Amino acid sequence: EEWQLSARWVLGERDLARARPPERMWQGLPTCCGQMTSLPLAAVFAGRPEEAYRAAWHLGFFDNGWGKDLNAALVAGLSVALVTPVDPRSPATAWQAVFSAMRSTDPFGYARIRWSQRAVDRWTDVALKSAREAAGHPARMFAVWDTAFQETTKWEAQVPFVVALGSIVMAEYDPLCGLQLTQEWGWDTDSYCQLLAAFVGALHGPGVFQPDWISAVKTRVREDHGVDLDQECALLSRLQQLAQRQVLVERS
């Protein structure tokens, strides 16, 4: 409903019975909408975080305020994850590269805006601090989130961001343990898990997921939504090849 109204506005309609400006979506709250829809762009621009960021930012009419930056930074980080090898003896190194990419990919200079802190930096710090200060006790981390997000709708952009990052750090970068932790706090668990799962899959490859899990997801997506995930992956591969030959997103 919200996206239909805003999409028509972006396409030029001004009949308020059919179109509304995107700034009014969700009362202007920065939401996780871009986290639900834009992550596949990372595959198109694998290893090219600024282009991945720009694509997510320009296409993300469904993101508001600093949520556009936060969600685009996630896509940039995911593009780096896709080309970053993981040393099983020191998985933290790969994750630090991802965190660094999200912080440093800032083509529009959000970090240089006076008298304010970039949301990417603020919420990355919250996620890492809440995990580390909990000292191996998830309940302590969850208690911090209960306080920090007491008055926050649990699908606002910063919440899945913090839960995904905090969970993987708490799990000492064990991928399946981290995914389990995204389910333990409650609230918008599907959003939290799918966000972390994208990074886990990018870093560790599809082999991290059991074949019957993959089969179950592919079956349900096909039967419930008419989408063939193999075809979607093939499309992303073709787009990646195209992006290597021509500019897909204008640098404006």
Side-chain angles (χ1 to χ4, degrees):
E1 178 180 273
E2 291 291 294
W3 285 22
Q4 288 182 41
L5 291 168
S6 296
R8 290 190 179 103
W9 186 278
V10 170
L11 292 172
E13 292 193 41
R14 292 298 182 267
D15 178 359
L16 292 181
R18 290 170 45 84
R20 304 287 171 85
E23 291 82 0
R24 65 164 286 285
M25 281 193 300
W26 317 117
Q27 308 292 342
L29 292 174
T31 74
C32 66
C33 289
Q35 298 168 27
M36 303 297 101
T37 57
S38 301
L39 299 182
L41 289 168
V44 180
F45 302 101
R48 300 154 70 181
E50 181 167 326
E51 291 175 79
Y53 178 104
R54 287 176 179 273
W57 200 94
H58 284 298
L59 291 172
F61 74 90
F62 33 70
D63 285 327
N64 279 326
W66 50 259
K68 286 176 70 76
D69 176 47
L70 189 77
N71 295 344
L74 281 166
V75 178
L78 189 57
S79 79
V80 169
L82 284 164
V83 298
T84 300
V86 178
D87 183 347
R89 298 166 299 180
S90 181
T93 302
W95 281 98
Q96 291 304 321
V98 171
F99 299 157
S100 177
M102 291 192 293
R103 290 184 188 268
S104 62
T105 307
D106 185 17
F108 299 125
Y110 278 85
R112 297 194 298 273
I113 299 173
R114 296 186 184 211
W115 306 303
S116 63
Q117 182 183 20
R118 188 186 183 200
V120 174
D121 293 326
R122 175 187 178 187
W123 295 112
T124 299
D125 291 343
V126 168
L128 301 183
K129 183 179 180 182
S130 66
R132 289 168 180 159
E133 292 187 351
H137 297 275
R140 296 179 186 173
M141 181 173 67
F142 298 158
V144 171
W145 297 349
D146 286 337
T147 300
F149 300 130
Q150 183 176 2
E151 303 299 330
T152 305
T153 305
K154 301 306 185 287
W155 42 253
E156 290 182 38
Q158 68 273 28
V159 183
F161 186 93
V162 167
V163 173
L165 271 59
S167 292
I168 195 64
V169 175
M170 170 63 69
E172 297 182 346
Y173 306 100
D174 180 283
L176 299 186
C177 180
L179 289 173
Q180 178 63 34
L181 284 175
T182 64
Q183 303 298 285
E184 299 295 338
W185 184 49
W187 304 103
D188 194 9
T189 52
D190 58 331
S191 299
Y192 312 151
C193 190
Q194 72 89 29
L195 178 58
L196 181 56
F199 284 90
V200 164
L203 286 167
H204 296 273
V208 73
F209 304 115
Q210 294 182 18
D212 56 327
W213 299 353
I214 296 175
S215 177
V217 171
K218 291 170 70 172
T219 299
R220 287 268 53 86
V221 172
R222 181 178 62 252
E223 294 184 358
D224 293 349
H225 304 289
V227 173
D228 186 306
L229 290 181
D230 289 330
Q231 292 179 3
E232 294 298 311
C233 290
L235 173 61
L236 290 174
S237 180
R238 292 195 298 272
L239 290 173
Q240 182 188 56
Q241 295 172 17
L242 183 63
Q244 293 172 348
R245 299 194 301 269
Q246 67 185 70
V247 175
L248 296 186
V249 179
E250 294 297 332
R251 297 175 62 86
S252 61

